[in-house]
Amino acid sequence: MSEANPIKQAARKVADALRGDGEGPQDGIPGKPGAESPSVDEPTQPREPLPSKPDQTGPETVSPTGQPTGADQARMAQSGSYLTTAQGTRLYDTDHSLKAGPRGPVLLQDHHLREKVMHFDHERIPERVVHARGAAAHGVFQSYGTAASVTKAAFLAEDVETPVFVRFSTVLGSRGSADTVRDTRGFATKFYTSEGVFDLVGNNIPVFFIQDAIKFPDVIHAGKPQPDREIPQAQSAHDTFWDFVTLHTEAAHHTLWNMSDRALPRSFRMMEGFGIHTFRLVDASGGTTLVKFHWKPKLGVHSLVWEEAQLAGGVDPDFHRRDLADAIEAGAYPEWELGIQTFPDTPEQTFEGIDLLDPTNIVPEEMAPVQRVGRLVLDRNPYNYFAETEQVAFHPGHLVPGIDITDDPLLAGRLFSYLDTQITRLGGPNFGQIPINRTHAPVNDMLRDSFHQTAVHRGVAPYRPNSLDGGCPFTAGADTGAYIEAPVRVPESKKVREAPESFADHFSQPRRFWLSMSPLEREHIIGAYTFELSKCYEQAIRERGLQVLANIDPELCAEVAAGLGLPAPAATVPPAEVQPSPALSQIGRTWPTEGRVIGIVAGPDGDLEGVRAVREAVLTAGMVPLVVAPTGGTLGDGADPLAVQRTYANARSVEFDALLVAGVPGVGADAYGARDAKSPLPSAQQAAHDPRVGLLLSEAFRHGKAIGAWKGAEAALQAAGVPTDAPGVVLVDSGTAALEQITRLLGAHRVWERFPAEV
């Protein structure tokens, strides 16, 4: 090839840039996200798009038949200084849907909203654009009847049982990403009610990044892997995410939740769920009540520590989906209670000064208690992942009589988006006929044909009125179960692209969340912000992030700034006067221990009778025992050998909620570095204790897990560097006695005393 070859020229340009000889980064560090460093303030002066970086090039410009066209590659890219529609029409606003007044409903005529969201819905083929990685289970919901006073929904009447299908997911990652990334989790429930399908499509975080659905493509584009290198996968720790959320400070509340332990759930079984939006309930007499939906897990809300999440991403990227399936298979059925917060349906649609139409707001439980209205139990795993978990299609507009929507502008966009996205993902409008999506109520529609039509319609008149089919189907009335929207008055106003003034408060809600955290949880939040912002290449984005934190709390800002080596800026708004909400903290209560995973570490020469006894006791208590031994197979001779579920080579602390050590575990034959790098010893014979058991114990201790030991296991703890007099370390005479004590400790999830935090 000649020196004029464009590939060689591009390679030389990259090498020069990394040496500091060209137009690239002068410090020789790769990873700069754009061609220029950004300013701290949002750029407002129109300019042409930036050029590409010197290490980048596009495909050769050839015709569909492979003939060179000679066209400039830049002509395939964006051009012009101003934002336009796909047809080239310039836009004056892309942050607000077109509404009938600032607080009015979103108008169907908003062509820009529909084009923007429609295009976003069809970006990925065939996996979901968001929530691509999921796990699901079947179950049943039993209503207590306590909601019957505020809604006529039949499935919420007393003692009614309704089949359900629940899908949990991450938001940002692809189908092949890891389960334990720092991310929001989807919590979507399909109720197969007698009146039709009701979908409660929520998350494990009660607020959203944005206030208006027209910005949903923007926030997801920012959070997804950066488009030039397709990295990082399933993470928010990169420049484009933080660029967006620091320029859109309405994201501050959700971002703070995402930097908290809520973004690292221990299990799907230990997550809260939230409907996010404010909905409207309609009772039998037509009265209305505003409502927020909550899922409260029986086992409490618990999280991984950051190191566990990182370990699990490599050791077992399927950690959460495996945990859900294994718990159901073991009979430790996950349970939640459905709860509602109710508010008077006033024209202002506010409660105690909190705007109920703003999806970045919560109403503290101390102000509006959560009333339990039913119980959800997941008791069956799917037969087939693709047919069920992958093909299930949710939609916030799948409603039943007694449940209606409000004018939340984020909800309005979702009502369009969820239907639209199925056209690409599931191949047409008949996705409701896929078995997992089929309603359990009779269907008599006038929808016909299209892709994948599996219903065999009869009759000749799919229209009404008609006489050829005897007039069927007939419309129903309120007395015959028809869905009738609540006759809410629409404010008389001009159509505008604006947000209500009350949507402008971006800092009081995140400040309440911060003040509600325990000292330990605050330390985790500080660590998360420091980690994430340190991953950003551009210092301007870090500085902008610190400015957002300064407006939330000066201590939070100062500690993160110290970790980044930057000065802490002063707040630009005074700190909001808010009261903490103790219900937001995950620490300080005691929870049931059913479904917890207990690792029992044993060797062939240990107390196998004690292991049998403690294993039976774990099962009796509704927990899951996993025996960890030098090799797979069984332990012990005779007619009753002990089955081994994990080995020293494949067990890590993150999988267990507590550990029991039955005597001196011994050393595995594969405990040397060439076979297993976790064993640095040249041969097994040179140590009395297997170093992989030591790693398991030291990790468990470092992660705040209860450890019980008996029959000489004290030596194994000492070899692992675990202080035997530390909180949560139990040395007793038998396995059952050890189990009794660690079960009490498990009620708090972790031994929090091991994590000192400044008050």
Side-chain angles (χ1 to χ4, degrees):
M1 294 186 179
S2 69
E3 280 298 306
N5 184 287
I7 296 177
K8 279 192 173 184
Q9 291 176 343
R12 176 170 292 170
K13 213 171 187 180
V14 172
D16 290 343
L18 292 178
R19 285 196 302 268
D21 300 331
E23 300 174 355
Q26 299 301 305
D27 52 11
I29 301 174
K32 184 177 178 64
E36 291 183 8
S37 293
S39 60
V40 174
D41 296 327
E42 178 181 0
T44 57
Q45 184 64 35
R47 59 175 293 178
E48 291 292 311
L50 296 179
S52 60
K53 291 164 56 181
D55 64 315
Q56 297 174 315
T57 186
E60 293 295 319
T61 51
V62 297
S63 74
T65 57
Q67 301 301 309
T69 65
D72 184 354
Q73 288 183 347
R75 294 193 176 275
M76 304 296 290
Q78 303 98 316
S79 61
S81 303
Y82 294 95
L83 178 68
T84 74
T85 68
Q87 310 306 315
T89 303
R90 289 184 177 180
L91 292 162
Y92 74 92
D93 187 299
T94 190
D95 285 345
H96 303 95
S97 300
L98 190 66
K99 298 185 283 290
R103 297 187 62 77
V106 173
L107 301 177
L108 183 63
Q109 64 188 251
D110 190 348
H111 58 91
H112 174 43
L113 166 69
R114 297 192 65 193
E115 179 190 71
K116 184 175 179 180
V117 176
M118 177 272 293
H119 195 283
F120 169 71
D121 288 341
H122 299 282
E123 285 182 1
R124 301 287 185 275
I125 300 172
E127 70 175 31
R128 290 166 169 86
V129 179
V130 290
H131 298 278
R133 180 169 183 82
H138 296 273
V140 64
F141 174 79
Q142 182 174 23
S143 172
Y144 300 154
T146 48
S149 61
V150 290
T151 178
K152 62 184 178 181
F155 81 98
L156 290 174
E158 187 172 1
D159 292 333
V160 173
E161 291 191 355
T162 303
V164 298
F165 189 71
V166 179
R167 187 177 188 270
F168 306 101
S169 56
T170 55
V171 173
L172 292 177
S174 67
R175 276 188 62 186
S177 59
D179 279 347
T180 58
V181 294
R182 181 180 293 280
D183 197 359
T184 304
R185 300 307 192 281
F187 192 134
T189 307
K190 186 175 290 290
F191 296 83
Y192 303 96
T193 86
S194 61
E195 299 177 297
V197 166
F198 170 57
D199 286 345
L200 182 54
V201 195
N203 288 333
N204 75 321
I205 289 177
V207 293
F208 213 72
F209 277 111
I210 51 174
Q211 297 167 324
D212 192 313
I214 201 168
K215 287 183 275 194
F216 191 63
D218 300 317
V219 68
I220 298 302
H221 286 165
K224 283 284 190 177
Q226 295 182 192
D228 52 353
R229 287 167 170 77
E230 186 69 4
I231 56 175
Q233 175 61 243
Q235 296 180 52
S236 55
H238 56 103
D239 288 74
T240 57
F241 172 83
W242 287 98
D243 187 38
F244 180 85
V245 300
T246 55
L247 290 171
H248 276 73
T249 52
E250 68 195 64
H253 194 194
H254 188 127
T255 304
L256 190 56
W257 278 76
N258 220 42
M259 295 302 105
S260 78
D261 294 341
R262 298 287 186 134
L264 304 172
R266 159 64 181 87
S267 164
F268 293 139
R269 301 177 288 127
M270 301 169 195
M271 286 192 329
E272 279 186 296
F274 303 92
I276 302 171
H277 308 286
T278 299
F279 290 83
R280 177 174 281 109
L281 299 182
V282 183
D283 63 26
S285 63
T288 60
T289 304
L290 299 182
V291 65
K292 284 185 176 288
F293 291 106
H294 297 248
W295 288 113
K296 296 290 189 181
K298 175 184 177 182
L299 298 180
V301 187
H302 307 297
S303 298
L304 300 170
V305 297
W306 178 229
E307 186 186 30
E308 286 183 300
Q310 293 173 300
L311 283 171
V315 174
D316 186 5
D318 306 304
F319 182 75
H320 283 148
R321 63 171 61 180
R322 190 188 312 280
D323 174 89
L324 177 68
D326 286 354
I328 293 173
E329 187 176 8
Y333 299 138
E335 293 186 22
W336 291 262
E337 284 187 298
L338 179 63
I340 56 174
Q341 285 180 299
T342 58
F343 318 98
D345 190 359
T346 63
E348 296 78 19
Q349 297 177 91
T350 63
F351 181 78
E352 300 291 337
I354 298 172
D355 194 326
L356 298 176
L357 298 188
D358 184 347
T360 67
N361 285 344
I362 66 165
V363 178
E365 294 184 28
E366 292 78 11
M367 297 170 61
V370 176
Q371 308 164 58
R372 268 63 168 182
V373 300
R375 173 172 169 262
L376 167 68
V377 180
L378 299 182
D379 56 7
R380 287 164 292 137
N381 287 311
Y383 280 130
N384 183 278
Y385 183 92
F386 178 81
E388 299 170 89
T389 306
E390 185 61 22
Q391 289 196 121
V392 67
F394 296 95
H395 174 40
H398 288 162
L399 301 166
V400 292
I403 303 176
D404 203 347
I405 61 170
T406 60
D407 293 333
D408 177 338
L410 177 66
L411 178 57
R414 293 180 72 196
L415 293 172
F416 165 70
S417 175
Y418 277 70
L419 279 181
D420 183 58
T421 195
Q422 315 304 343
I423 304 300
T424 290
R425 197 172 69 81
L426 296 176
N430 290 314
F431 64 87
Q433 297 182 20
I434 296 171
I436 192 62
N437 295 321
R438 291 176 184 170
T439 178
H440 294 192
V443 174
N444 191 3
D445 60 35
M446 291 186 295
L447 310 175
R448 294 295 187 268
D449 307 339
S450 193
F451 293 105
H452 313 304
Q453 176 61 258
T454 57
V456 182
H457 294 91
R458 293 181 292 177
V460 297
Y463 54 85
R464 59 172 322 281
N466 74 74
S467 61
L468 294 178
D469 282 344
C472 189
F474 300 91
T475 57
D479 58 339
T480 50
Y483 185 91
I484 300 176
E485 289 80 5
V488 178
R489 182 176 297 278
V490 176
E492 297 178 7
S493 185
K494 61 184 178 181
K495 58 183 182 181
V496 295
R497 291 193 185 274
E498 295 178 5
E501 290 184 11
S502 57
F503 277 37
D505 176 9
H506 298 164
F507 301 115
S508 63
Q509 288 259 334
R511 178 164 174 77
R512 186 196 309 275
F513 183 80
W514 168 256
L515 294 177
S516 303
M517 295 295 99
S518 67
L520 174 60
E521 290 168 307
R522 292 187 190 184
E523 292 293 331
H524 290 173
I525 291 171
I526 291 167
Y529 270 106
T530 305
F531 177 89
E532 296 258 330
L533 289 172
S534 71
K535 290 284 188 175
C536 292
Y537 185 97
E538 298 292 355
Q539 181 166 320
I541 291 175
R542 297 183 206 140
E543 292 177 6
R544 198 188 305 140
L546 289 174
Q547 185 62 68
V548 173
L549 297 184
N551 290 342
I552 296 172
D553 186 86
E555 177 196 359
L556 171 61
C557 178
E559 294 297 329
V560 175
L564 297 175
L566 295 173
T572 58
V573 296
E577 295 291 335
V578 294
Q579 291 297 315
S581 171
L584 296 176
S585 174
Q586 295 182 209
I587 297 176
R589 284 167 284 178
T590 301
W591 302 97
T593 58
E594 288 92 338
R596 294 292 185 151
V597 180
I598 311 298
I600 308 171
V601 183
D605 301 323
D607 178 17
L608 299 188
E609 286 305 315
V611 172
R612 287 189 181 91
V614 79
R615 183 178 184 276
E616 187 61 32
V618 170
L619 288 168
T620 301
M623 297 185 286
V624 181
L626 296 178
V627 176
V628 185
T631 65
T634 59
L635 283 175
D637 300 322
D640 187 24
L642 270 169
V644 173
Q645 287 80 40
R646 300 290 186 271
T647 68
Y648 296 171
N650 65 27
R652 298 298 288 267
S653 166
V654 64
E655 188 173 8
F656 309 108
D657 294 295
L659 286 179
L660 294 172
V661 187
V664 179
V667 181
D670 57 347
Y672 57 93
R675 186 72 56 82
D676 189 341
K678 298 190 296 295
S679 300
L681 304 174
S683 70
Q685 288 70 32
Q686 290 182 268
H689 305 283
D690 195 301
R692 295 165 303 177
V693 174
L695 177 63
L696 180 64
L697 291 170
S698 64
E699 283 180 352
F701 181 80
R702 194 165 65 248
H703 299 155
K705 297 179 180 178
I707 301 173
W710 74 97
K711 293 281 186 172
E714 180 177 359
L717 299 181
Q718 292 172 339
V722 174
T724 55
D725 59 349
V729 178
V730 177
L731 296 175
V732 289
D733 295 331
S734 70
T736 51
L739 177 64
E740 181 180 351
Q741 292 195 39
I742 70 164
T743 300
R744 287 198 294 268
L745 294 167
L746 274 173
H749 181 56
R750 295 185 194 273
V751 184
W752 298 113
E753 296 85 346
R754 293 194 205 140
F755 297 96
E758 293 182 3
V759 180

